[in-house]
Amino acid sequence: MSQPDRSTAALRLGVSSGAFYPEVATEDVPALAAELGLTDVEIMLQTAGEYGGAIVQRIRANARASGCRIHSVHVWTDFHQLLSPYRRRVEEDQALFRHAIAAAAELEAGLIVWHGPRTAEVTQPRRWDRFAASVVELGAACGEAGVTLTLENVSRSAIRGAREAAMLATHLADAGPKVRVGFTFDPFQAAEAGANPFMVLAAMGNRVANVHLSDYREDDPGSRHLPPGEGDMPWPALLRAIAAVYQGPLMLECALGADRLATLDRIRTVLDPLLAPLEHGHDPCAGTPPPGVLSGIALFNERQFYECHEDIEHEWHAERGEIRLLYQGILQIGVGFHHALGGNHRGAILLLQDGITKVSRFAPACLDIDTARLVRESQACLDVIRELGPGRIAGFDPATIPMIHQADDHAAAPGGNAVS
């Protein structure tokens, strides 16, 4: 199956050396990737011996000979127990991480991918603070080497969902320009963790520097890292959301198997038609909302939630494209707040939850609406309403209900203007 050359497209397929594991030695992956027409490679370091020396030199030589770019270097999590109570282990694991940074620099890779500690290691605030401090320290070391450290959202690790990603992003806000830290977004890992991948992506904000791709099947969670298209992930919406915050290779992490070309052809059959319109700018989020949605948003911002529902519902029924889910999500958030102010705790929970989930699919911005901010601030209200419970719902503060703001260059800008 012949494919167009997408090697320089804004969003394009790349591959992790993990997709060839364990049959192929890490240093041999660039040549095989090039044979498949994939010129962006993530190197996953599988042993301590792959962190430097002759193997790194062979990876570099083979990448140059095959015309591949080493986009990122993925460290092996168990080699970096930086929160261990045993000091010697911490010191040796830190030293090995410095070898990984040097390897990334030698390979001209821009990124290092790290899972961080296990979830159980950061359940206490004091240990979370130690983890965040280690991220800043490693980010500074990466900055000196011209590399960016990226934390991947992983189901069994510290950054497993939107809450943890937002906590780390907040901590990094004051870290300074010399600390180079971002995120690797993995929608499969979000699904496996029971998190909403759109909300995880929104929480990462403008720090998304790398993306992993594989599929997840809800009725068979034991089948891990399936080829995209062989599971339940909503790829049309996911790729559009990714394209709003990231440009670069999408690293395939699924096992390609013995018949690699056939597997890749199946993946391309699913993904290429979705990537093509993103490349050429056919974006359903371009432009501004239709009149009924604009008037509904104005009513939302005036706290006339029932009337907001009436106006937006007409546009929702008239629309047949994917964007109707955004209209429905805004509508449901408004009705959720209507229920909260009326004392209907269960109705508020259900409507806000459904509405936030739908709007998060269109983060960070869509139709000139700052969707990421609406999701973030509505979720904060939902958390408070849950905590209050049915008996104390009257204590919910209407002043905390968000406004719907205009987007600022597709970023969630805290000072954005309210849509009127």
Side-chain angles (χ1 to χ4, degrees):
M1 178 179 177
S2 62
Q3 299 294 339
D5 179 14
R6 292 183 51 84
S7 62
T8 60
L11 285 182
R12 55 193 183 272
L13 293 183
V15 68
S16 165
S17 63
F20 301 89
Y21 179 84
E23 292 82 7
V24 179
T26 302
E27 63 268 31
D28 295 332
V29 167
L32 289 178
E35 289 178 9
L36 295 173
L38 301 172
T39 56
D40 295 280
V41 176
E42 179 169 290
I43 293 296
M44 182 175 284
L45 303 175
Q46 303 287 357
T47 70
E50 295 186 357
Y51 273 64
I55 293 179
V56 169
Q57 292 172 13
R58 288 203 293 271
I59 294 170
R60 180 180 181 182
N62 291 344
R64 288 185 171 182
S66 59
C68 282
R69 296 176 288 264
I70 305 302
H71 174 71
S72 43
V73 170
H74 195 315
V75 299
W76 189 255
T77 296
D78 290 345
F79 292 163
H80 306 291
Q81 299 181 45
L82 304 187
L83 300 187
S84 171
Y86 191 52
R87 185 62 198 171
R88 181 177 295 159
R89 176 174 289 123
V90 173
E91 291 172 351
E92 291 183 1
D93 289 359
Q94 286 176 331
L96 191 59
F97 212 112
R98 288 193 290 272
H99 283 297
I101 295 172
E106 184 174 351
L107 294 171
E108 299 178 335
L111 309 171
I112 286 183
V113 182
W114 181 38
H115 291 176
R118 304 287 185 184
T119 304
E121 296 181 79
V122 291
T123 53
Q124 299 175 2
R126 178 176 58 84
R127 293 182 68 80
W128 174 272
D129 290 343
R130 279 186 60 196
F131 159 60
S134 70
V135 169
V136 171
E137 183 180 344
L138 290 171
C142 285
E144 290 180 5
V147 176
T148 297
L149 172 67
T150 68
L151 276 294
E152 182 180 358
N153 63 291
V154 175
S155 58
R156 297 180 294 276
S157 295
I159 309 298
R160 67 188 310 270
R163 176 177 173 271
E164 296 82 9
M167 286 172 60
L168 184 60
T170 299
H171 182 85
L172 293 170
D174 299 323
K178 294 183 179 180
V179 176
R180 293 177 56 170
V181 181
F183 290 103
T184 289
F185 172 60
D186 191 324
F188 163 83
Q189 292 285 355
E192 190 171 65
N196 180 326
F198 297 95
M199 292 185 69
V200 173
L201 185 64
M204 292 177 174
N206 64 357
R207 290 185 179 268
V208 178
N210 192 31
V211 175
H212 288 166
L213 294 189
S214 59
D215 218 328
Y216 177 80
R217 192 176 295 147
E218 190 172 357
D219 62 359
D220 186 17
S223 298
R224 304 184 74 247
H225 291 297
L226 299 170
E230 297 185 11
D232 306 320
M233 302 297 291
W235 292 112
L238 271 173
L239 292 175
R240 191 200 58 75
I242 290 167
V245 296
Y246 171 77
Q247 293 186 350
L250 307 167
M251 293 298 177
L252 293 170
E253 278 204 318
C254 55
L256 293 177
D259 196 348
R260 302 181 188 105
L261 186 57
T263 303
L264 183 60
D265 279 348
R266 293 199 306 274
I267 294 169
R268 286 197 178 280
T269 298
V270 173
L271 297 186
D272 276 357
L274 303 177
L275 292 171
L278 297 175
E279 179 183 352
H280 297 297
H282 298 156
D283 186 354
C285 279
T288 55
V293 174
L294 275 176
S295 62
I297 289 173
L299 290 165
F300 183 109
N301 288 343
E302 293 169 4
R303 303 317 193 224
Q304 299 183 46
F305 297 117
Y306 186 82
E307 292 79 2
C308 158
H309 163 273
E310 294 289 307
D311 276 26
I312 294 179
E313 188 173 35
H314 298 302
E315 299 285 2
W316 171 47
H317 285 305
E319 177 62 50
R320 287 295 175 264
E322 178 192 5
I323 203 73
R324 75 193 304 263
L325 293 177
L326 173 61
Y327 304 165
Q328 186 183 20
I330 295 171
L331 180 157
Q332 289 179 314
I333 290 173
V335 175
F337 285 127
H338 176 76
H339 284 315
L341 297 176
N344 181 354
H345 183 267
R346 183 171 183 273
I349 294 287
L350 293 176
L351 270 297
L352 284 171
Q353 186 171 274
D354 284 352
I356 290 168
T357 297
K358 288 185 175 71
V359 173
S360 70
R361 295 171 69 118
F362 299 88
C366 187
L367 297 181
D368 203 30
I369 298 169
D370 191 339
T371 47
R373 183 173 182 179
L374 177 60
V375 165
R376 183 172 65 250
E377 295 178 353
S378 298
Q379 182 65 48
C381 289
L382 175 57
D383 292 343
V384 169
I385 291 168
R386 281 200 177 106
E387 186 176 343
L388 287 171
R392 295 189 296 139
I393 184 66
F396 175 63
D397 183 0
T400 63
I401 297 174
M403 304 278 277
I404 298 177
H405 291 263
Q406 288 180 323
D408 180 11
D409 295 328
H410 287 248
N417 297 319
V419 178
S420 58

